[in-house]
Every structure is written in structure tokens, then in C-alpha cells.
Amino acid sequence: MEILLIRLVGHCRRHAVPVLLAAAVLVTLAGGLAATRLAMMTDTDQLFSPDLPWRQRAMAFDQLFPQFRDLLVAVIDADSPELADATAAGLAASLQAEPSLITTVRRPDALPFFAREGLLFLDQAALGQVLDRTIDAQPFLGQLAADPGTRGLFAALGLLAMGAQRDPAALDAYRPALDAFHQALAGVLAGKARPLSWSRLLGGGLAEQAGRFR
């Protein structure tokens, strides 16, 4: 091997110009083959042979259910249910405005039927807690419904304070809501505004069952 390498180096040295020209031709051919033959495949299904039984079943499924082909799923992660819903709705509206790029846009977690009838899917105990919490907050919500602004909010908080003066124990039912308002206002004063979640105020732990994602 050593002798062969010595002879090869000597031959290349004696015929340097033809060797360089041949190398340039080979590099050019290799570059052309790479540009025309090599590509990046982003479809992971193509990594497996189509002759595999499970691949054949998958391809048959795609033919029977074309609505699941070329499907792009966007997942929204937010700190509050309201922020997640608003972001998802805004994204869906933006995508629907591009019919040349996006064929259809669907939000499976925001179907009108579940928006109307979603409470009926709760267990009786969980539904009773939500209704009891909503009934307890009726005076507070009524004030906000009449004036859904900053003035109405502080007027409603003032009603709670008046009720606490008459019966301090009655304030215990509103303590989680008051703590939430306190954290929201303190965050604004500290320069770290954080939206208040009304779903969590009324739904309690029930609002967390849907998770952070939309």
C-alpha cells in the first residue's frame, strides 16, 4: 500500500495539470448531480417502504378520508382561557382570509354546539358548584352588566365592601375573587399587567380542566 501511494503521488506530481483538470470535471459533475438528484424530504411517511402492511393501511385511510390529508395543526398556549380563546379566534380569522393558501379552517374546541350546551356535559356535582357560584355572584355580575367598565367594576367592589361591613362572614364567599382582583391590580402597578380570568372566577377549578392549550 505504501508503494502504491508513493507511485500515485509521483504520477500526480508529474501530471499536475491533467490531474487538476480531471478533478475540476469530477467536482462539477458531482455538484450537478447533487443539485438535481439530492433533496430534502419533509414527509416522514416517505421514510418507510410503501410495501409495509401498516403503510398500506395508512395510505388507504388517506384515500378514504381526504379531509385529514395536508393537515396543519396550530396549538395556542396561554396563561388564561380568555387569552387562549382570543388568540385562537384571531389566528383562525387571519387564516380564513387567505383562501388561496388555506382551504378550510376549523376550531374543534370552539364548536357552536358546545358553546351553547357545554354545561350539560358536566357531572351533576360540578354543574351544581358552577351554578351556586354564579348565583352567589349575581349582585356583583348584575352591577357589571349594567356598567361593564372600570366604574362599574369598582362600584361592584364597593357593594362587596358595604356587605362586608354588615356581615363580615359574607365576604368569605368572595375572597377568591377579591384575591384575583388584588393580584391583577398589583400586577398593573408593578408594570407586569396580567389579564384577569373571569372563567376562573366563576368556574373555579372547572375552568382548568380544558388546560392551557387551544
Side-chain angles (χ1 to χ4, degrees):
M1 180 62 69
E2 183 178 358
I3 295 175
L4 290 177
L5 291 176
I6 292 174
R7 290 179 178 177
L8 178 62
V9 171
H11 178 78
C12 292
R13 182 178 58 81
R14 290 190 301 271
H15 305 85
V17 175
V19 168
L20 290 176
L21 292 177
V25 172
L26 290 177
V27 170
T28 303
L29 291 176
L33 289 175
T36 57
R37 299 289 183 177
L38 297 181
M40 180 66 69
M41 172 60 69
T42 59
D43 187 357
T44 56
D45 290 338
Q46 300 302 322
L47 297 176
F48 304 96
S49 172
D51 297 329
L52 294 173
W54 67 269
R55 279 286 292 127
Q56 293 178 355
R57 291 194 295 268
M59 289 186 293
F61 181 87
D62 289 340
Q63 293 295 329
L64 294 174
F65 300 96
Q67 67 269 29
F68 297 125
R69 296 165 58 186
D70 299 326
L71 182 65
L72 179 64
V73 180
V75 180
I76 306 298
D77 181 7
D79 291 332
S80 67
E82 291 85 354
L83 186 58
D85 288 334
T87 304
L91 177 60
S94 298
L95 294 176
Q96 288 174 341
E98 299 291 343
S100 61
L101 302 176
I102 306 296
T103 305
T104 57
V105 179
R106 294 184 292 114
R107 289 186 58 200
D109 59 343
L111 297 177
F113 174 79
F114 291 110
R116 295 191 310 267
E117 315 293 348
L119 291 177
L120 298 180
F121 289 86
L122 296 177
D123 293 334
Q124 186 174 356
L127 179 59
Q129 293 177 0
V130 173
L131 294 179
D132 291 341
R133 190 177 292 110
T134 304
I135 292 173
D136 292 339
Q138 184 176 359
F140 185 83
L141 296 177
Q143 179 65 40
L144 287 179
D147 187 0
T150 306
R151 180 177 58 187
L153 172 62
F154 284 102
L157 293 176
L159 291 177
L160 294 182
M162 293 173 59
Q165 290 178 348
R166 299 190 182 95
D167 183 8
L171 194 62
D172 293 339
Y174 297 98
R175 192 171 302 279
L178 293 176
D179 290 339
F181 283 118
H182 168 72
Q183 293 176 6
L185 295 175
V188 173
L189 294 176
K192 299 178 180 180
R194 185 176 181 179
L196 181 68
S197 175
W198 292 95
S199 298
R200 289 171 180 164
L201 285 181
L202 294 176
L206 189 64
E208 304 299 335
Q209 291 186 9
R212 295 169 53 92
F213 306 105
R214 296 293 185 274

